[in-house]
Amino acid sequence: MGFSVSKQNGVTVVDVEGQLIVGNRQELKTRVLEELDGGERKFVVDFSQTGYIDSSGLGVLVSLSKKIREQGGELRLSSLNEDLRTLFELTKLDTLFRIADSREDALEGF
């Protein structure tokens, strides 16, 4: 369980491996904010290896999206499984984030 950060076509891509929960949400926040402070403005969080996100994980995504938008950037999400996509729809968070089916789709048009 963890995060890996890479750059792809000028976009910071964060892979979430395992779960995004109260126990690791702060690590995600720290890693993304470090990149934001370093001047990065385009972010994709890839959930292709993620099976579960709890409410604190959703909260950190909302918080990061707000901070990135305040700096003139954008946070996109990709590769949510069916259960996670349903979670975003039920919580109406699908209206806050651009959610792509794949990493490639998320990177398009950035």
Side-chain angles (χ1 to χ4, degrees):
M1 183 164 51
F3 309 99
S4 58
V5 179
S6 61
K7 301 281 193 290
Q8 193 168 344
N9 301 329
V11 178
T12 301
V13 178
V14 181
D15 288 292
V16 179
E17 299 160 9
Q19 303 175 333
L20 178 57
I21 57 175
V22 67
N24 66 359
R25 66 180 161 82
Q26 191 60 39
E27 181 185 350
L28 174 66
K29 187 173 185 178
T30 299
R31 299 207 48 188
V32 170
L33 291 180
E34 284 174 357
E35 296 292 330
L36 186 66
D37 288 344
E40 299 298 331
R41 295 294 180 264
K42 300 173 183 175
F43 294 86
V44 171
V45 179
D46 187 323
F47 290 102
S48 60
Q49 301 174 70
T50 310
Y52 180 73
I53 302 173
D54 72 4
S55 59
S56 66
L58 292 175
V60 79
L61 291 172
V62 171
S63 172
L64 287 172
S65 178
K66 182 178 178 209
K67 286 184 184 299
I68 291 167
R69 269 188 274 125
E70 287 172 354
Q71 300 289 322
E74 183 179 355
L75 172 66
R76 298 178 181 179
L77 310 179
S78 75
S79 313
L80 295 164
N81 68 27
E82 190 175 322
D83 289 342
L84 293 178
R85 187 172 279 273
T86 299
L87 174 67
F88 277 79
E89 290 169 1
L90 290 174
T91 56
K92 305 291 186 198
L93 290 175
D94 61 327
T95 62
L96 179 65
F97 297 99
R98 179 170 169 177
I99 300 174
D101 289 336
S102 68
R103 177 186 302 214
E104 291 73 27
D105 288 346
L107 291 169
E108 269 188 22
F110 239 140

